[in-house]
Amino acid sequence: GQQVMQIPQYQHVQEGEDFTTYCNSSTTLSNIQWYKQRPGGHPVFLIQLVKSGEVKKQKRLTFQFGEAKKNSSLHITATQTTDVGTYFCKPKLSFGAGTTVTVRA
Amino acid sequence: EAQVTQNPRYLITVTGKKLTVTCSQNMNHEYMSWYRQDPGLGLRQIYYSMNVEVTDKGDVPEGYKVSRKEKRNFPLILESPSPNQTSLYFCASSPLIPRTGGSNQPQHFGDGTRLSIL
């Protein structure tokens, strides 16, 4: 399948801080999706990016698609305990390995 | 309510005993897929189907079979389970946009099936 690398694999964040997780591909992507999986739950679709340089926001979450459409990022501002979970990027058929986020109060 | 239903949710069984995990969706989606999730490896695709009687291998198909006789159902079959198939399995479905070569639509996931093969 189409290979992407997600970094970091784990992110431990102080509540209130910001962080960014990245999804990098060696090939050009037609689009990319992001999913969130809460502990014990199933992946839930967050957003899809299609255009080069596209930026979309969902409250404290900002998603970006790179100009070359080879990478994407998810930035979370003012992290809350509700942000705990694993965030996956997905180009077409395959998922990235995910970034697992934990939050310390 | 739109949903993807997997059964069973949990199963402990022994090596070599054939088992089937069922998956059913009520959204009339063309595309269905099976994934396994293992620590540190994320979600890896086992098999997918773009429509009735159309199935294809994903990244880790060895040891698994699937069928798609009806649009709503996509069972995962382990003919002779082995301990390395102990994992958390998810079924997912989505609409399929023609001529895109795959599913570019958001996927809806079932609640997962945790399999333990002893």
Side-chain angles (χ1 to χ4, degrees):
Chain A
Q2 201 164 29
Q3 298 296 324
V4 288
M5 181 174 292
Q6 275 192 260
I7 50 174
Q9 186 175 1
Y10 298 99
Q11 182 82 52
H12 191 52
V13 188
Q14 177 72 43
E15 190 172 19
E17 289 185 344
D18 303 353
F19 77 90
T20 303
T21 175
Y22 300 89
C23 182
N24 299 322
S25 171
S26 57
T27 59
T28 302
L29 306 172
S30 57
N31 65 54
I32 195 158
Q33 298 173 352
W34 284 88
Y35 291 75
K36 177 184 178 181
Q37 183 180 22
R38 294 183 188 274
H42 59 267
V44 174
F45 173 79
L46 294 176
I47 209 155
Q48 177 164 289
L49 305 171
V50 179
K51 300 176 184 176
S52 168
E54 188 171 14
V55 177
K56 288 188 177 180
K57 291 190 176 183
Q58 288 180 351
K59 297 182 181 177
R60 294 178 295 101
L61 278 60
T62 301
F63 302 84
Q64 188 162 3
F65 204 5
E67 293 290 341
K69 299 181 76 173
K70 287 187 175 182
N71 54 68
S72 181
S73 65
L74 160 59
H75 181 78
I76 300 182
T77 58
T79 304
Q80 299 177 1
T81 55
T82 54
D83 296 322
V84 164
T86 301
Y87 295 83
F88 295 99
C89 65
K90 177 184 172 294
K92 222 166 190 179
L93 296 179
S94 302
F95 282 79
T99 294
T100 298
V101 176
T102 54
V103 178
R104 58 180 180 273
Chain B
E1 179 190 350
Q3 59 186 5
V4 178
T5 304
Q6 293 179 229
N7 279 295
R9 293 290 316 279
Y10 305 90
L11 179 62
I12 301 173
T13 187
V14 295
T15 299
K17 186 176 180 181
K18 180 180 178 180
L19 68 91
T20 299
V21 184
T22 62
C23 175
S24 180
Q25 50 95 4
N26 62 2
M27 295 167 280
N28 201 36
H29 287 165
E30 293 83 9
Y31 183 89
M32 296 186 76
S33 181
W34 276 103
Y35 300 90
R36 61 177 289 173
Q37 185 172 26
D38 303 287
L41 297 177
L43 289 155
R44 294 181 292 168
Q45 191 176 49
I46 303 170
Y47 269 94
Y48 64 96
S49 169
M50 294 205 185
N51 217 324
V52 176
E53 301 293 358
V54 180
T55 63
D56 212 342
K57 295 178 180 179
D59 295 322
V60 288
E62 294 78 20
Y64 304 95
K65 287 173 60 176
V66 292
S67 69
R68 189 89 183 273
K69 296 187 173 67
E70 306 161 285
K71 198 171 187 179
R72 64 183 293 125
N73 295 324
F74 189 45
L76 178 70
I77 303 153
L78 285 71
E79 293 270 3
S80 183
S82 62
N84 64 12
Q85 292 177 300
T86 292
S87 187
L88 176 59
Y89 291 84
F90 287 102
C91 179
S93 74
S94 71
L96 187 66
I97 304 301
R99 297 184 298 280
T100 60
S103 173
N104 284 341
Q105 299 304 302
Q107 295 196 8
H108 300 255
F109 282 79
D111 288 335
T113 296
R114 188 166 291 280
L115 284 184
S116 294
I117 316 292
L118 305 177

